[in-house]
Amino acid sequence: METWDTIRSRRDVREFEDRPIPREHLNQVLEAGRRAPSSQNWQPWDFVVVTDRDQLTELAGVWQGARYVAGSAATIALIAPTPGDERQRDALHYDLGQATMSMMLAAADLGVGSGHAAVADQQLARQILGFPAERICAYLIALGYPADRPLRPIERPDRRPFEDVVHWGRW
């Protein structure tokens, strides 16, 4: 896809076909996250990729809004240091947001749908994923081929009108 078509095609996908994503495509998505911009080149992320069905089912229990993770072909857990203060927390979430969007766009470019989720139960996430105690699982990105329809540019997205969002020079 062209970049503009990829941006217009990306949407949250919560129902996936039952087929695996090729390893080279997963690697491309992960590389997009690894290359994401980062404040002062901090790169606070580690990625844990889960493809085992039983493990995905368990992982879906880390937040009530993450149930769809169980049906994904793969889910990427974004692991990060526990923020030391408010400034570090803000930088962390900004950096992780950039890595998340980079991965979701790379996935869309490959025709792979994605949906992001928060993580409420850190203890359960740590038990399933095995990350160190000084780290947190900040987000999950569920990946898979959309069950309902393939990704394609959305002509009329459910977004606020351009004129209501964009201000030139001043508010």
Side-chain angles (χ1 to χ4, degrees):
M1 265 192 237
E2 293 294 321
T3 303
W4 183 238
D5 286 341
T6 299
I7 291 169
R8 294 183 321 132
S9 297
R10 201 221 60 83
R11 61 183 166 87
D12 286 336
V13 175
R14 302 272 192 281
E15 293 183 33
F16 306 99
E17 290 181 1
D18 185 20
R19 68 175 165 129
I21 300 168
R23 176 62 67 101
E24 60 270 16
H25 287 181
L26 287 174
N27 286 344
Q28 192 170 331
V29 169
L30 292 158
E31 181 66 6
R34 188 181 75 86
R35 289 176 175 243
S38 175
S39 176
Q40 299 178 340
N41 204 26
W42 183 22
Q43 304 174 57
W45 46 67
D46 284 276
F47 308 130
V48 177
V49 184
V50 178
T51 58
D52 177 77
R53 181 65 50 214
D54 291 337
Q55 196 177 6
L56 288 165
T57 300
E58 283 184 272
L59 195 56
V62 299
W63 181 55
Q64 53 85 22
R67 291 186 192 105
Y68 58 92
V69 165
S72 70
T75 290
I76 301 169
L78 283 77
I79 309 299
T82 302
D85 57 30
E86 188 175 329
R87 184 171 182 251
Q88 191 177 52
R89 183 201 67 209
D90 292 346
L92 175 69
H93 288 292
Y94 191 80
D95 282 2
L96 292 175
Q98 293 186 97
T100 298
M101 196 65 202
S102 291
M103 288 190 276
M104 294 173 93
L105 287 172
D109 188 54
L110 297 166
V112 175
S114 60
H116 58 286
V119 178
D121 190 338
Q122 290 294 319
Q123 183 176 348
L124 179 59
R126 186 171 287 107
Q127 176 186 326
I128 296 166
L129 301 171
F131 56 89
E134 68 277 2
R135 300 238 169 208
I136 60 168
C137 181
Y139 305 109
L140 302 175
I141 305 171
L143 301 167
Y145 297 98
D148 57 349
R149 65 189 190 282
L151 297 178
R152 62 182 176 276
I154 300 167
E155 297 304 321
R156 284 183 235 115
D158 184 16
R159 292 286 181 256
R160 291 171 43 211
F162 185 87
E163 301 76 25
D164 291 354
V165 175
V166 177
H167 308 274
W168 294 91
R170 297 179 52 98
W171 184 277

